[in-house]
Amino acid sequence: MNVFVVGISGAVGGLLERELTSRGDVVSGLVRLDDQRAHFAARGVAVRVGDIGVLSADALAAMLRGVDVLVYTAGSNGGSRRVTNAVDGDGVVTALEAARLAGGSRFALVSVLPEAWRQRALDDDAEHYFAVKKLTDVAVTLSDLDWLILRPSMLVDRPGTGRIALGPAQPHDEIPREDVAATLAELLHEPRIRRQILELTQGETPIATAVRAVIR
């Protein structure tokens, strides 16, 4: 499988690249800085340089020749509204259009649980972030692509357990980034899972078993 990752230099995107590469997949992606090329070149991963917040759909589509699936893992993490709009909003719409222009059919988005951070007092910028993420999810579901939206609960950096809870609705809890990447890799290798929103958190079910359970 040939996979292009927008956000490949991020925490989840980088872990996903390693998961897919270990399976024998061909992985490429988009980075923001030219000096990030060397890191991926050392791993045999080709990357292109560009800012998804300003990149045109035509320019991104030109990078997607031969790609089987476009995965969007980039995110602003609730920063300024300008960055949120560019990365979590406009960037996803650009990627959807680029996938269509390139003749691709599969598109996967790493989103967020709508309940995330509700235990905190959120400022207006954070509320704006969640509103943009929801509208972007809607845009993906309205596309004619073979889409998948994965909504993980709060991301943490401890080692993965290989055990998760996955389904149309999950309680907000937390999950290691390693398990998010491993789950996404497993989902990408199951073509029968398509046009679904899946929520993900830590649990007791092995990843492969949990993925098989959501096949419709």
Side-chain angles (χ1 to χ4, degrees):
M1 182 166 59
N2 191 323
V3 182
F4 189 96
V5 182
V6 175
I8 195 170
S9 60
V12 172
L15 291 167
L16 177 64
E17 177 267 308
R18 291 177 179 271
E19 285 281 344
L20 293 172
T21 299
S22 71
R23 290 171 175 253
D25 296 314
V26 176
V27 184
S28 56
L30 183 71
V31 298
R32 291 187 65 247
L33 304 173
D34 190 67
D35 60 10
Q36 293 172 312
R37 286 178 183 265
H39 166 76
F40 290 99
R43 295 184 46 76
V45 176
V47 294
R48 305 292 294 273
V49 178
D51 184 344
I52 190 60
V54 298
L55 200 64
S56 71
D58 287 331
L60 181 57
M63 305 177 190
L64 301 179
R65 295 190 182 95
V67 168
D68 299 308
V69 55
L70 172 59
V71 183
Y72 198 103
T73 67
S76 69
N77 297 317
S80 72
R81 292 193 180 200
R82 180 187 63 81
V83 176
T84 293
N85 291 340
V87 177
D88 300 294
D90 297 339
V92 179
V93 174
T94 295
L96 283 169
E97 177 63 10
R100 187 189 67 79
L101 291 172
S105 61
R106 297 186 72 194
F107 182 93
L109 172 68
V110 177
S111 186
V112 65
L113 274 176
E115 299 84 6
W117 299 357
R118 293 302 158 183
Q119 73 276 22
R120 310 178 189 178
L122 300 184
D123 61 22
D124 289 344
D125 286 345
E127 291 288 0
H128 179 74
Y129 167 79
F130 284 103
V132 170
K133 296 293 275 191
K134 180 58 181 289
L135 290 175
T136 302
D137 285 0
V138 172
V140 172
T141 65
L142 292 176
S143 77
D144 56 2
L145 299 175
D146 185 357
W147 55 265
L148 169 70
I149 297 173
L150 184 64
R151 291 174 171 171
S153 56
M154 185 175 70
L155 302 174
V156 295
D157 286 325
R158 66 172 181 267
T161 67
R163 294 178 176 272
I164 60 170
L166 179 71
Q170 293 293 335
H172 181 250
D173 193 358
E174 61 183 39
I175 187 166
R177 286 178 170 86
E178 287 185 0
D179 285 336
V180 175
T183 301
L184 185 52
E186 191 73 24
L187 288 165
L188 294 175
H189 276 266
E190 181 42 79
R192 290 174 292 178
I193 296 176
R194 55 188 301 273
R195 302 181 75 81
Q196 288 181 249
I197 298 176
L198 295 172
E199 297 187 344
L200 171 67
T201 193
Q202 62 185 346
E204 298 300 325
T205 306
I207 289 173
T209 302
V211 168
R212 288 196 298 271
V214 297
I215 296 172
R216 295 192 303 206

